[in-house]
Amino acid sequence: MTLPLEPTILVIFGSMGDLTWRKLAPALYNLLLNQQLPEHFAVIGLDMKKESPDEFRLRLRDGANSFCECGGVDEKTWNGFALNLSYLSGDFANPETYTALNGKLKDYEKNWGSPANHIFYLATPPAIMETIVKGMGTAGLAQDKRRTRIVVEKPFGHDLPSAVALNGVLISVFDEAQIYRIDHYLGKETVQNILAFRFANALFEPIWDRRYIDHVQITVAEQVGVEHRGAYYEHAGALRDMIQNHLMQILCLIAMEPMVSFEADEIRNKKVDVLRAIRPIPEDQVQQLAVRGQYGAGRMNGHKVPAYRAEPSVAADSSIETFAAMKLHVDNWRWQGVPFYLRTGKRLQKKLSEVMIQFRPVPHQSFPTTAALAWQPNYLMIHIQPEEGIVLRFQAKQPGPILHLSPVGMHFSYQETFKLKSPEAYETLLADVMAGDATLFMRADQVEGSWSVITPILNVWEHTLPLDFPNYPSGTWGPDASAVLITQDGRSWNHPTLAKKLAP
Ligand code: BG6
């Protein structure tokens, strides 16, 4: 990646919000520490809240201090950085807000004696995004195609029609090449490494298909509950919040065909091919192919935690899912007959994101049955977080006079191998926007393709009340139906899923 040396002004819409505080502030501070910011760099915070510039600076400082892996901000470094942080409060629907913004952008450029790149970051709820984009369009803020970029946070729409509508508004003001739709999972090192692992090695690609792979599991499990985000989550749920974006993007990286070059559009084309090949789920099969759950009260790390329905801003009879699992098929030559099982949930037993590629058994078992009592299929485990690495499990002979086979693992750990901390996803993504590299961002057709896959499930779930909610206690691996989804095919999740056994 080339260093983003051109003067840059980052404008954050929704600058007093949670995302700016929790993710953008620490990412910017780390980029500063790593000397990855241009010499001329400024941040303009824009929000409806009537705050002073000092309050904005304090909020950013607090975010950097609380969430930066650097162990807290250094006073002197921060004070230098804070000189280029300014704040504008204004109504996003009022044209004057954009005139004032334009004035501020010009002031910086005048002071620097040079034009700057403008990055508009929409860290706002989707409902207001169209208004902002139109406001920028009317004010002529998107005119310089080379110097202007727009970053759009998730959730990207609420369903397929709203995503199509938002794309329509964006494209009426910006060119597709100026639009950076964020999925922060794509900024994670371990997710990026999937491509390197698959296509920079001759070893795995020849066996990466239906002839050798039995099935694929993608798990993104969280321990946290919905926390203070009840108001947002009540309109989202696990399917929209996690599967539509993060899990679907991981699936694309696992299933895509080799790219011809590392060009952004080439990689994105290959991913879109996967989305197009996913077998549509007929509404009358949603019941068999998808499972939803909602956490009840339980214990996490020894502490009692409340049920989802008892969380702030959540309806006492909410039918929003905090857990979702599904079985998908990718209908192409490579993957015919190989199921992909996806699951994600909040308040699960452990925080972990991983992909398990399970291989088929050997074609002929030549060892005596007694030798292979502990036989387990070969698998490749890609650990995304919190552990970062790859494990390949295979059979080995146990030392000793009697022939016993036992599963063993070859481990690659990022930490042990590279002795470096992986950059946070937002750091990588912000640096890429500044450098104008869109490889890790989603194109309109990717977002829409992904909404299409889950639309039948959304429809059915919206129209059928989940009578068994809450159906898994906090601190377990989700509802029992999630186990059934995979055991009915004679397979099992990599982690035990029967909720009752683990319930407090
Ligand atoms: C966000 C979701 O996109 O991803 C959150 O909105 C979720 O609900 C978060 O907690 C998980 O991200 P990470 O990086 O902690 O796995």
Coordinates of all heavy atoms in Angstrom, one line a residue, residues 325-386:
A325 N -28.8 -19.1 12.6 CA -27.9 -20.1 12.0 C -28.6 -20.5 10.7 O -29.9 -20.4 10.6 CB -27.8 -21.3 12.9
M326 N -27.8 -20.9 9.7 CA -28.5 -21.3 8.5 C -27.6 -22.2 7.7 O -26.3 -22.3 7.9 CB -28.8 -20.1 7.6 CG -27.6 -19.3 7.1 SD -28.1 -18.0 6.1 CE -28.9 -17.0 7.2
K327 N -28.2 -22.9 6.8 CA -27.4 -23.8 5.9 C -27.6 -23.3 4.5 O -28.7 -23.1 4.0 CB -28.0 -25.2 6.0 CG -27.4 -26.2 5.1 CD -28.1 -27.6 5.4 CE -28.0 -28.5 4.2 NZ -28.7 -29.8 4.5
L328 N -26.5 -23.1 3.8 CA -26.5 -22.6 2.4 C -25.8 -23.6 1.5 O -24.9 -24.3 1.9 CB -25.8 -21.2 2.3 CG -26.5 -20.1 3.1 CD1 -25.6 -18.9 3.0 CD2 -27.9 -19.7 2.5
H329 N -26.2 -23.5 0.2 CA -25.4 -24.2 -0.8 C -24.9 -23.2 -1.9 O -25.7 -22.3 -2.3 CB -26.3 -25.2 -1.5 CG -26.4 -26.5 -0.7 ND1 -25.5 -27.4 -0.7 CD2 -27.4 -26.9 0.2 CE1 -25.8 -28.4 0.1 NE2 -27.0 -28.1 0.7
V330 N -23.7 -23.4 -2.4 CA -23.2 -22.6 -3.5 C -23.3 -23.5 -4.7 O -22.5 -24.4 -4.9 CB -21.8 -22.1 -3.2 CG1 -21.2 -21.3 -4.3 CG2 -21.7 -21.4 -1.8
D331 N -24.2 -23.1 -5.6 CA -24.4 -24.0 -6.8 C -23.5 -23.6 -7.9 O -23.8 -22.9 -8.8 CB -25.9 -23.8 -7.2 CG -26.8 -24.6 -6.4 OD1 -26.4 -25.6 -5.8 OD2 -28.0 -24.3 -6.4
N332 N -22.3 -24.2 -7.8 CA -21.4 -24.1 -9.0 C -20.5 -25.4 -9.0 O -20.7 -26.3 -8.2 CB -20.5 -22.8 -8.9 CG -19.7 -22.7 -7.7 OD1 -19.4 -23.7 -7.0 ND2 -19.2 -21.6 -7.3
W333 N -19.6 -25.5 -9.9 CA -18.9 -26.7 -10.1 C -18.0 -27.0 -8.9 O -17.9 -28.2 -8.5 CB -17.9 -26.6 -11.3 CG -18.6 -26.9 -12.6 CD1 -19.8 -26.4 -13.0 CD2 -18.2 -27.9 -13.6 NE1 -20.1 -27.0 -14.2 CE2 -19.1 -27.8 -14.6 CE3 -17.0 -28.7 -13.7 CZ2 -19.0 -28.6 -15.8 CZ3 -16.9 -29.4 -14.9 CH2 -17.9 -29.4 -15.9
R334 N -17.5 -26.0 -8.3 CA -16.5 -26.3 -7.2 C -17.3 -26.8 -5.9 O -16.8 -27.7 -5.2 CB -15.8 -25.0 -6.8 CG -14.8 -25.1 -5.8 CD -14.2 -23.8 -5.3 NE -13.3 -23.2 -6.3 CZ -12.0 -23.2 -6.2 NH1 -11.4 -23.9 -5.3 NH2 -11.2 -22.6 -7.1
W335 N -18.5 -26.2 -5.7 CA -19.1 -26.5 -4.4 C -20.4 -27.3 -4.4 O -21.0 -27.4 -3.4 CB -19.4 -25.1 -3.7 CG -18.2 -24.3 -3.4 CD1 -17.8 -23.2 -4.0 CD2 -17.1 -24.7 -2.5 NE1 -16.6 -22.8 -3.4 CE2 -16.2 -23.7 -2.5 CE3 -16.9 -25.8 -1.6 CZ2 -15.0 -23.7 -1.7 CZ3 -15.8 -25.8 -0.8 CH2 -14.8 -24.8 -0.9
Q336 N -20.7 -27.9 -5.6 CA -21.9 -28.6 -5.6 C -22.0 -29.7 -4.5 O -21.1 -30.5 -4.4 CB -22.0 -29.3 -7.0 CG -23.4 -29.7 -7.4 CD -24.5 -28.6 -7.2 OE1 -25.4 -28.8 -6.4 NE2 -24.3 -27.4 -7.8
G337 N -23.0 -29.7 -3.7 CA -23.2 -30.7 -2.7 C -22.5 -30.4 -1.4 O -22.5 -31.3 -0.5
V338 N -21.8 -29.3 -1.3 CA -21.0 -29.0 -0.1 C -21.8 -28.0 0.8 O -21.9 -26.8 0.4 CB -19.6 -28.4 -0.3 CG1 -18.9 -28.1 0.9 CG2 -18.8 -29.4 -1.2
P339 N -22.4 -28.4 1.9 CA -23.1 -27.4 2.6 C -22.2 -26.4 3.4 O -21.1 -26.8 3.8 CB -24.0 -28.2 3.6 CG -23.4 -29.6 3.6 CD -22.5 -29.7 2.5
F340 N -22.7 -25.1 3.5 CA -22.0 -24.1 4.3 C -23.0 -23.8 5.4 O -24.1 -23.4 5.2 CB -21.8 -22.8 3.5 CG -20.7 -22.9 2.5 CD1 -20.8 -23.6 1.3 CD2 -19.5 -22.3 2.7 CE1 -19.8 -23.7 0.4 CE2 -18.5 -22.3 1.8 CZ -18.6 -23.1 0.6
Y341 N -22.5 -24.1 6.7 CA -23.3 -23.8 7.8 C -22.8 -22.5 8.5 O -21.6 -22.4 8.7 CB -23.2 -24.9 8.9 CG -23.7 -26.3 8.3 CD1 -22.8 -27.2 7.8 CD2 -25.0 -26.6 8.4 CE1 -23.2 -28.4 7.3 CE2 -25.5 -27.8 7.9 CZ -24.5 -28.7 7.4 OH -25.0 -30.0 6.9
L342 N -23.7 -21.6 8.7 CA -23.3 -20.3 9.3 C -24.0 -20.1 10.6 O -25.2 -20.5 10.7 CB -23.8 -19.1 8.3 CG -22.9 -18.7 7.2 CD1 -22.6 -19.9 6.3 CD2 -23.6 -17.6 6.3
R343 N -23.4 -19.5 11.6 CA -24.1 -19.2 12.8 C -23.5 -18.0 13.5 O -22.2 -17.8 13.5 CB -24.2 -20.4 13.8 CG -22.9 -20.8 14.3 CD -23.0 -21.9 15.3 NE -21.6 -22.4 15.5 CZ -21.3 -23.2 16.6 NH1 -22.1 -23.5 17.5 NH2 -20.0 -23.6 16.7
T344 N -24.3 -17.3 14.2 CA -23.8 -16.1 15.0 C -24.8 -15.9 16.1 O -26.0 -16.2 16.0 CB -23.6 -14.9 14.1 OG1 -23.0 -13.8 14.9 CG2 -24.9 -14.4 13.5
G345 N -24.3 -15.3 17.2 CA -25.2 -15.0 18.3 C -24.5 -14.2 19.3 O -23.3 -14.1 19.4
K346 N -25.4 -13.5 20.1 CA -24.9 -12.8 21.3 C -25.1 -13.6 22.5 O -26.0 -14.5 22.5 CB -25.6 -11.5 21.3 CG -25.3 -10.5 20.2 CD -25.5 -9.1 20.5 CE -25.3 -8.2 19.3 NZ -23.8 -7.9 19.1
R347 N -24.3 -13.3 23.5 CA -24.4 -14.0 24.8 C -24.2 -15.5 24.7 O -24.8 -16.3 25.3 CB -25.8 -13.8 25.5 CG -25.9 -12.4 26.1 CD -25.3 -12.3 27.4 NE -25.6 -11.0 28.1 CZ -24.7 -10.1 28.4 NH1 -23.4 -10.3 28.2 NH2 -25.1 -9.0 29.1
L348 N -23.2 -15.8 23.8 CA -22.9 -17.2 23.7 C -21.7 -17.5 24.6 O -21.2 -16.6 25.3 CB -22.5 -17.6 22.2 CG -23.6 -17.4 21.2 CD1 -23.2 -17.8 19.8 CD2 -24.9 -18.1 21.6
Q349 N -21.4 -18.8 24.7 CA -20.5 -19.2 25.8 C -19.1 -18.6 25.7 O -18.4 -18.3 26.6 CB -20.3 -20.7 25.8 CG -19.8 -21.2 27.1 CD -19.8 -22.7 27.0 OE1 -18.9 -23.4 26.4 NE2 -20.7 -23.3 27.7
K350 N -18.6 -18.4 24.4 CA -17.3 -17.9 24.2 C -17.3 -16.9 23.1 O -18.1 -17.0 22.2 CB -16.4 -19.1 23.7 CG -15.3 -19.4 24.6 CD -14.6 -20.6 24.0 CE -13.1 -20.3 23.9 NZ -12.4 -21.5 23.4
K351 N -16.3 -15.9 23.2 CA -16.2 -15.0 22.0 C -15.2 -15.7 21.1 O -14.1 -16.0 21.4 CB -15.6 -13.7 22.5 CG -15.3 -12.7 21.3 CD -14.8 -11.4 21.7 CE -14.3 -10.5 20.6 NZ -15.4 -10.0 19.7
L352 N -15.7 -16.0 19.9 CA -14.8 -16.5 18.9 C -15.4 -16.4 17.5 O -16.6 -16.5 17.3 CB -14.4 -18.0 19.2 CG -15.5 -19.1 19.2 CD1 -15.7 -19.6 17.8 CD2 -15.0 -20.2 20.1
S353 N -14.5 -16.1 16.6 CA -14.9 -16.1 15.1 C -13.9 -17.1 14.4 O -12.7 -17.0 14.6 CB -14.7 -14.8 14.5 OG -15.5 -13.8 15.2
E354 N -14.5 -18.1 13.8 CA -13.7 -19.1 13.1 C -14.4 -19.7 11.9 O -15.6 -19.7 11.8 CB -13.3 -20.2 14.1 CG -14.5 -20.9 14.6 CD -14.2 -21.9 15.7 OE1 -13.2 -21.8 16.4 OE2 -14.9 -22.9 15.8
V355 N -13.5 -20.2 11.0 CA -14.1 -21.0 9.9 C -13.5 -22.4 9.9 O -12.3 -22.5 10.1 CB -13.6 -20.3 8.5 CG1 -14.2 -21.1 7.4 CG2 -14.0 -18.9 8.5
M356 N -14.3 -23.4 9.9 CA -13.8 -24.7 9.9 C -14.1 -25.4 8.5 O -15.3 -25.4 8.0 CB -14.5 -25.5 11.0 CG -14.0 -26.9 11.0 SD -14.6 -27.7 12.6 CE -15.6 -29.0 11.9
I357 N -13.1 -25.9 7.9 CA -13.2 -26.6 6.6 C -13.0 -28.0 6.9 O -11.9 -28.5 7.3 CB -12.1 -26.2 5.6 CG1 -11.8 -24.7 5.6 CG2 -12.4 -26.8 4.2 CD1 -12.8 -23.8 4.8
Q358 N -14.1 -28.8 6.9 CA -14.0 -30.2 7.2 C -13.8 -31.0 6.0 O -14.6 -30.9 5.0 CB -15.1 -30.7 8.0 CG -14.9 -32.1 8.5 CD -15.9 -32.5 9.6 OE1 -16.0 -31.7 10.6 NE2 -16.5 -33.6 9.5
F359 N -12.8 -31.9 6.0 CA -12.5 -32.7 4.8 C -13.3 -34.0 4.8 O -13.7 -34.5 5.9 CB -11.0 -32.9 4.6 CG -10.3 -31.6 4.3 CD1 -9.7 -30.9 5.4 CD2 -10.2 -31.1 3.0 CE1 -9.1 -29.6 5.1 CE2 -9.6 -29.9 2.8 CZ -9.0 -29.2 3.8
R360 N -13.4 -34.6 3.6 CA -14.1 -35.9 3.5 C -13.2 -37.0 4.2 O -12.0 -36.9 4.2 CB -14.3 -36.3 2.1 CG -15.3 -35.4 1.4 CD -15.6 -36.0 0.0 NE -16.5 -35.1 -0.7 CZ -17.8 -35.0 -0.5 NH1 -18.4 -35.8 0.4 NH2 -18.5 -34.1 -1.2
P361 N -13.8 -38.1 4.6 CA -13.0 -39.2 5.1 C -12.2 -39.8 4.0 O -12.5 -39.6 2.8 CB -14.1 -40.2 5.6 CG -15.4 -39.8 5.1 CD -15.2 -38.4 4.6
V362 N -11.1 -40.6 4.4 CA -10.3 -41.3 3.4 C -11.3 -42.3 2.6 O -12.2 -42.8 3.2 CB -9.1 -42.1 4.0 CG1 -8.1 -41.1 4.5 CG2 -9.6 -43.0 5.1
P363 N -11.0 -42.6 1.3 CA -11.9 -43.4 0.6 C -11.9 -44.9 1.1 O -13.0 -45.5 0.9 CB -11.3 -43.3 -0.9 CG -10.0 -42.8 -0.8 CD -9.9 -42.0 0.5
H364 N -10.8 -45.3 1.7 CA -10.9 -46.7 2.2 C -10.1 -46.7 3.5 O -9.0 -46.3 3.6 CB -10.2 -47.6 1.2 CG -9.9 -49.0 1.7 ND1 -11.0 -49.8 2.0 CD2 -8.8 -49.7 2.0 CE1 -10.5 -51.0 2.5 NE2 -9.2 -50.9 2.5
Q365 N -10.8 -47.3 4.5 CA -10.2 -47.4 5.9 C -9.4 -48.7 6.0 O -10.0 -49.7 6.2 CB -11.4 -47.3 6.9 CG -11.0 -47.2 8.3 CD -10.1 -46.0 8.6 OE1 -8.9 -46.1 8.5 NE2 -10.7 -44.9 9.0
S366 N -8.1 -48.6 5.8 CA -7.3 -49.8 5.8 C -6.8 -50.2 7.2 O -6.3 -51.3 7.4 CB -6.2 -49.7 4.9 OG -5.6 -48.4 4.9
F367 N -7.0 -49.4 8.2 CA -6.5 -49.7 9.5 C -7.6 -50.5 10.3 O -8.8 -50.3 10.0 CB -6.2 -48.4 10.3 CG -5.1 -47.6 9.7 CD1 -5.4 -46.6 8.9 CD2 -3.8 -48.0 10.0 CE1 -4.4 -45.9 8.3 CE2 -2.8 -47.2 9.4 CZ -3.1 -46.2 8.5
P368 N -7.2 -51.4 11.2 CA -8.2 -52.1 12.0 C -9.1 -51.2 12.8 O -8.6 -50.1 13.2 CB -7.3 -53.0 12.9 CG -5.9 -52.5 12.8 CD -5.8 -51.7 11.6
T369 N -10.3 -51.5 13.0 CA -11.2 -50.6 13.7 C -10.7 -50.2 15.0 O -10.8 -49.0 15.4 CB -12.6 -51.4 13.9 OG1 -12.7 -52.3 12.9 CG2 -13.7 -50.4 14.0
T370 N -10.0 -51.1 15.7 CA -9.4 -50.7 17.0 C -8.4 -49.6 17.0 O -8.2 -48.9 17.9 CB -8.8 -52.0 17.7 OG1 -8.0 -52.6 16.7 CG2 -9.8 -53.0 18.2
A371 N -7.7 -49.5 15.8 CA -6.6 -48.5 15.7 C -7.2 -47.1 15.6 O -6.6 -46.1 15.9 CB -5.8 -48.8 14.5
A372 N -8.4 -47.1 15.0 CA -9.0 -45.8 14.7 C -10.2 -45.4 15.6 O -11.1 -44.7 15.2 CB -9.4 -45.8 13.2
L373 N -10.1 -45.8 16.9 CA -11.2 -45.5 17.8 C -11.4 -44.0 17.9 O -12.5 -43.5 18.0 CB -11.0 -46.2 19.1 CG -11.2 -47.7 19.1 CD1 -11.0 -48.3 20.5 CD2 -12.7 -48.0 18.7
A374 N -10.3 -43.3 18.0 CA -10.4 -41.8 18.2 C -10.4 -41.1 16.8 O -10.1 -39.9 16.8 CB -9.2 -41.4 19.0
W375 N -10.7 -41.8 15.8 CA -10.7 -41.2 14.4 C -11.6 -40.0 14.3 O -12.7 -40.0 14.8 CB -11.1 -42.2 13.4 CG -10.9 -41.7 12.0 CD1 -9.7 -41.8 11.2 CD2 -11.8 -41.0 11.2 NE1 -9.9 -41.2 10.0 CE2 -11.2 -40.7 10.0 CE3 -13.1 -40.6 11.4 CZ2 -11.8 -40.0 9.0 CZ3 -13.8 -39.9 10.4 CH2 -13.1 -39.6 9.2
Q376 N -11.0 -38.9 13.8 CA -11.8 -37.7 13.5 C -11.4 -37.2 12.2 O -10.3 -37.4 11.8 CB -11.6 -36.7 14.6 CG -12.2 -37.0 15.9 CD -11.9 -36.0 17.0 OE1 -11.6 -34.9 16.7 NE2 -12.0 -36.4 18.2
P377 N -12.4 -36.6 11.5 CA -12.0 -36.1 10.1 C -10.9 -35.1 10.2 O -10.8 -34.4 11.2 CB -13.3 -35.5 9.6 CG -14.2 -35.4 10.8 CD -13.7 -36.3 11.9
N378 N -10.2 -35.0 9.1 CA -9.2 -33.9 8.9 C -10.0 -32.6 8.8 O -11.0 -32.5 8.2 CB -8.4 -34.0 7.6 CG -7.6 -35.3 7.6 OD1 -7.2 -35.7 6.5 ND2 -7.3 -35.8 8.7
Y379 N -9.4 -31.5 9.4 CA -10.1 -30.2 9.2 C -9.0 -29.1 9.2 O -7.9 -29.3 9.8 CB -11.2 -29.9 10.2 CG -10.9 -29.7 11.6 CD1 -10.1 -28.6 12.0 CD2 -11.4 -30.5 12.6 CE1 -9.8 -28.4 13.3 CE2 -11.1 -30.3 13.9 CZ -10.3 -29.2 14.3 OH -10.0 -29.0 15.6
L380 N -9.4 -28.0 8.7 CA -8.6 -26.9 8.7 C -9.4 -25.8 9.4 O -10.5 -25.6 9.1 CB -8.3 -26.4 7.3 CG -7.4 -25.2 7.1 CD1 -6.0 -25.7 7.2 CD2 -7.7 -24.6 5.8
M381 N -8.8 -25.2 10.4 CA -9.5 -24.2 11.2 C -8.9 -22.9 11.0 O -7.7 -22.7 11.3 CB -9.4 -24.7 12.7 CG -10.2 -23.8 13.6 SD -12.0 -24.0 13.3 CE -12.2 -25.5 14.3
I382 N -9.6 -21.9 10.6 CA -9.1 -20.6 10.4 C -9.6 -19.8 11.6 O -10.8 -19.5 11.7 CB -9.5 -19.9 9.1 CG1 -9.0 -20.8 8.0 CG2 -9.0 -18.5 9.0 CD1 -9.4 -20.4 6.6
H383 N -8.7 -19.4 12.6 CA -9.2 -18.7 13.7 C -9.1 -17.2 13.4 O -8.0 -16.7 13.1 CB -8.3 -19.0 14.9 CG -8.4 -20.4 15.5 ND1 -9.6 -20.8 16.1 CD2 -7.6 -21.4 15.4 CE1 -9.4 -22.0 16.5 NE2 -8.3 -22.5 16.1
I384 N -10.2 -16.5 13.4 CA -10.2 -15.1 13.1 C -10.0 -14.2 14.3 O -9.2 -13.3 14.4 CB -11.5 -14.7 12.4 CG1 -11.6 -15.4 11.0 CG2 -11.7 -13.2 12.2 CD1 -12.9 -15.3 10.3
Q385 N -10.7 -14.6 15.4 CA -10.5 -13.9 16.7 C -11.1 -14.6 17.8 O -12.0 -15.5 17.5 CB -11.1 -12.4 16.6 CG -12.6 -12.4 16.5 CD -13.2 -11.1 16.3 OE1 -12.5 -10.1 15.9 NE2 -14.4 -10.9 16.6
P386 N -10.8 -14.5 19.1 CA -9.6 -13.7 19.5 C -8.3 -14.3 19.2 O -7.3 -13.6 19.1 CB -9.9 -13.6 21.0 CG -10.6 -14.8 21.4 CD -11.5 -15.1 20.2

